[in-house]
Amino acid sequence: MKSALQQMEQELEIIRQAGTWREERIITTPQRARIDTTAQPCVLNMCANNYLGLSDNPELILAAKQSYDRWGFGLSSVRFICGTQELHKTLEASSTASACARQSATVTATAIWTISGFS
């Protein structure tokens, strides 16, 4: 009888032989259209979600650093559990609501929260 580890190793070998094994790409530069990896420099990065090219934008990096000083590093919980940050309300009142010609708006991180009405 094979052990679980032996079964997994056998399955991984089948995947490798089928040509469907995928090695992890280790990126050594900021995300942008062309990246360097540990395997090869100057790779065309066609799978990034960096559509607007903002991942390595110096102005956004500076703004992010400044936000850490004021707000800390990330939220400790989602809004509907611990409450809403003042920063969220400012964003929603100033840009989102006015862009949609509404008195107020709620920014959510995922579509499921938008659909369900949680904020």
Side-chain angles (χ1 to χ4, degrees):
M1 177 178 249
K2 291 183 180 180
S3 71
L5 181 58
Q6 289 171 324
Q7 288 178 329
M8 286 184 250
E9 287 173 347
Q10 182 181 9
E11 185 65 29
L12 289 173
E13 186 56 34
I14 291 169
I15 292 169
R16 285 185 190 97
Q17 289 177 4
T20 55
W21 176 261
R22 181 180 165 141
E23 290 290 333
E24 183 177 42
R25 176 188 299 180
I26 302 171
I27 301 169
T28 60
T29 58
Q31 289 278 353
R32 52 184 171 239
R34 293 200 179 272
I35 56 173
D36 292 343
T37 71
T38 54
Q40 184 175 342
C42 201
V43 175
L44 182 59
N45 189 14
M46 297 182 70
C47 60
N49 290 331
N50 187 20
Y51 308 112
L52 301 176
L54 301 176
S55 292
D56 64 337
N57 178 288
E59 291 178 43
L60 290 179
I61 292 170
L62 177 61
K65 289 176 182 178
Q66 291 171 345
S67 74
Y68 294 155
D69 291 338
R70 176 155 185 209
W71 301 102
F73 183 74
L75 299 174
S76 298
S77 183
V78 294
R79 295 170 71 173
F80 75 93
I81 293 175
C82 288
T84 297
Q85 293 278 134
E86 178 185 28
L87 187 61
H88 287 116
K89 299 310 284 181
T90 301
L91 167 68
E92 293 164 350
S94 66
S95 57
T96 309
S98 62
C100 297
R102 297 286 187 256
Q103 185 177 20
S104 66
T106 300
V107 175
T108 60
T110 62
I112 191 67
W113 290 118
T114 302
I115 294 165
S116 64
F118 288 103
S119 60

